[in-house]
Amino acid sequence: MQTLGNISLLEREKTAYLCSRTLQSTGVLPSLDWATSLNPQSDCVIGGFQSDLERDVLSFLLRKKIPVIIVLARKMYAALPEEYSQPISEGRMLIISHTDAPRVSRANAHRRNLYVASQCRTLVIGCLPPQSSLNEIVSQCKNRGVEVRVLGEGE
């Protein structure tokens, strides 16, 4: 495992945010509203932030200075994205990579999502179409007693 940033964020109580890569319009506004409702002093969000909606949510989290843990489904960045420099230097971001794969694969994304879900007390799903692989993760979380909130149901 490679890390970059504030490793102590792993010790905080975390909320995971995941969203199907098949964007459902029902999840957009509820996800952005959820992200803007969070508090920098009490909240910490973990996710892959790979899908379009996840990246939009990440932008809101960074603007609100919410501590964030990004889990990559690929190898660590060779060059850190510019928008991550300030959150890293301020100690409110951690980036984790569990693989040396140069690109994201479906299998690595699934393993990443399982890891993200294993680290949280609450799982927030932006949208959950019936065919989504996230349904398996939601079931596993519910079986472990993790609180699951689905913001936008599948269309």
Side-chain angles (χ1 to χ4, degrees):
M1 175 170 87
Q2 288 185 297
T3 62
L4 176 63
N6 185 354
I7 194 88
S8 70
L9 291 178
L10 287 173
E11 298 167 14
R12 292 188 59 173
E13 186 174 302
K14 296 170 284 302
T15 298
Y17 179 80
L18 296 172
C19 186
S20 173
R21 66 181 180 273
T22 306
L23 184 59
Q24 305 280 316
S25 60
T26 57
V28 175
L29 288 177
S31 290
L32 299 178
D33 287 344
W34 170 79
T36 58
S37 74
L38 299 177
N39 182 317
Q41 280 69 47
S42 59
D43 292 305
C44 181
V45 179
I46 184 171
F49 303 105
Q50 183 180 337
S51 74
D52 290 339
L53 183 52
E54 289 171 337
R55 285 194 298 270
D56 289 343
V57 164
L58 177 61
S59 291
F60 275 79
L61 297 174
L62 293 177
R63 273 184 262 163
K64 279 204 72 176
K65 299 188 183 289
I66 305 296
V68 174
I69 301 169
I70 299 173
V71 183
L72 302 175
R74 58 184 283 286
K75 68 181 179 178
M76 186 57 75
Y77 295 112
L80 185 67
E82 185 178 322
E83 64 268 24
Y84 297 171
S85 295
Q86 185 173 356
I88 291 271
S89 68
E90 293 175 351
R92 56 186 173 89
M93 180 181 277
L94 173 65
I95 303 171
I96 299 172
S97 173
H98 285 278
T99 180
D100 287 328
R103 291 182 186 82
V104 176
S105 69
R106 186 176 295 235
N108 283 341
H110 184 70
R111 279 191 290 278
R112 184 259 331 271
N113 290 344
L114 287 170
Y115 174 78
V116 165
S118 76
Q119 297 296 305
C120 70
R121 184 177 199 135
T122 303
L123 172 63
V124 175
I125 301 288
C127 61
L128 189 63
Q131 73 281 7
S132 175
S133 61
L134 292 177
N135 283 294
E136 172 192 340
I137 292 171
V138 166
S139 294
Q140 290 175 5
C141 283
K142 286 180 177 178
N143 289 340
R144 287 192 346 259
V146 172
E147 177 189 349
V148 176
R149 293 179 52 203
V150 178
L151 301 176
E153 297 295 331
E155 297 176 328

